[in-house]
Amino acid sequence: MADRIRRVAVLASGTGSNFRALVENDTSPGEVVLLLSDRNDAGALSIARELGIPHHVLDPGKYRTRFGIAEEEQWAEFLRDQKIDLVCLAGFMRILKGPLIEEFSGRLMNIHPSLLPAFPGLDGQGQAFTYGVKVAGCTVHYVDRGTDTGPVILQKAVPVLPDDTRDTLAARILKKEHAIFSRAVSLHCAGRLRVSGRRVYITPDTQ
Ligand code: GRF
């Protein structure tokens, strides 16, 4: 199972530091072979050019924060044609409605900057900081039809320090995001994640 390269696509709308981490860190037997963005000004596109990763901007439809259904079907078809094994949402600021979730059921991951189920939705780091938690963090999860509700794959806690601002906290969380996202991709691609209900089990490395 772990011998063939698994083709990983990243969907990103913003800066792209998670995308860069997934390209530069060890995600074997997964390999990022494609970046798709819904924004032609996404920083992730410059990183793709720098790193030589094939990249495209596709039309997400007329809405601002979600897909048009026909457009989501086109993205799903594009990814299917590219023989993508795993899709990673890395700062992809658009709510998926159906076709991508169905096409990539169990093969679609998201990184979220909070310890879910706390602080789902926008600005998880800011929500945690404003709430006054002592421990913040990040979560990689499989994507289901809810907002940040799918089965949790990996989480990492990040302490909130007395002199933190929202931005210093977010910067420390981001470093942990890069690490757990890369690890989760590697585990998935090695066939080492088993989902049972809400629980994701990591099976031992038999290599
Ligand atoms: C990350 O904090 C991620 O958790 C959130 O959006 C941010 C994207 O950052 N969903 P980057 O574009 O990967 O630098």
Side-chain angles (χ1 to χ4, degrees), residues 14-19 90-91 111-113 125 174 177:
T15 315
S17 72
N18 276 287
F19 164 60
I111 181 77
H112 183 76
Q125 317 93 322
L174 192 58
E177 291 182 34

Side-chain angles (χ1 to χ4, degrees), residues 12-20 44 47 89-93 110-114 121 125 138-139 148 166 170 173-174 177-178 181:
S13 307
T15 315
S17 72
N18 276 287
F19 164 60
R20 178 187 286 281
I47 296 174
L89 306 182
F92 189 64
M93 304 305 286
N110 182 46
I111 181 77
H112 183 76
S114 78
Q125 317 93 322
C138 48
T139 304
D148 303 323
R166 182 251 168 231
I173 293 173
L174 192 58
E177 291 182 34
H178 299 163
F181 209 1

Side-chain angles (χ1 to χ4, degrees), residues 73-133:
E73 263 161 22
Q74 284 158 10
W75 285 53
E77 197 179 314
F78 188 90
L79 290 163
R80 192 190 322 132
D81 290 349
Q82 295 279 325
K83 305 214 173 344
I84 295 301
D85 296 299
L86 173 68
V87 176
C88 293
L89 306 182
F92 189 64
M93 304 305 286
R94 211 165 268 278
I95 295 165
L96 309 187
K97 276 291 157 214
L100 276 167
I101 298 172
E102 274 149 32
E103 179 75 31
F104 289 95
S105 172
R107 301 185 295 141
L108 183 56
M109 280 182 191
N110 182 46
I111 181 77
H112 183 76
S114 78
L115 291 175
L116 290 170
F119 312 121
L122 287 178
D123 192 25
Q125 317 93 322
Q127 292 185 58
F129 182 75
T130 304
Y131 193 91
V133 297

Side-chain angles (χ1 to χ4, degrees), residues 30-70:
E31 189 176 307
V32 176
V33 296
L34 178 66
L35 171 80
L36 295 185
S37 186
D38 56 335
R39 298 182 56 121
N40 51 24
D41 60 349
L45 292 166
S46 314
I47 296 174
R49 277 189 284 274
E50 176 198 331
L51 299 178
I53 304 291
H55 50 280
H56 301 273
V57 178
L58 298 185
D59 180 11
K62 64 181 177 187
Y63 305 105
R64 205 171 49 84
T65 57
R66 61 191 171 96
F67 267 113
I69 201 82

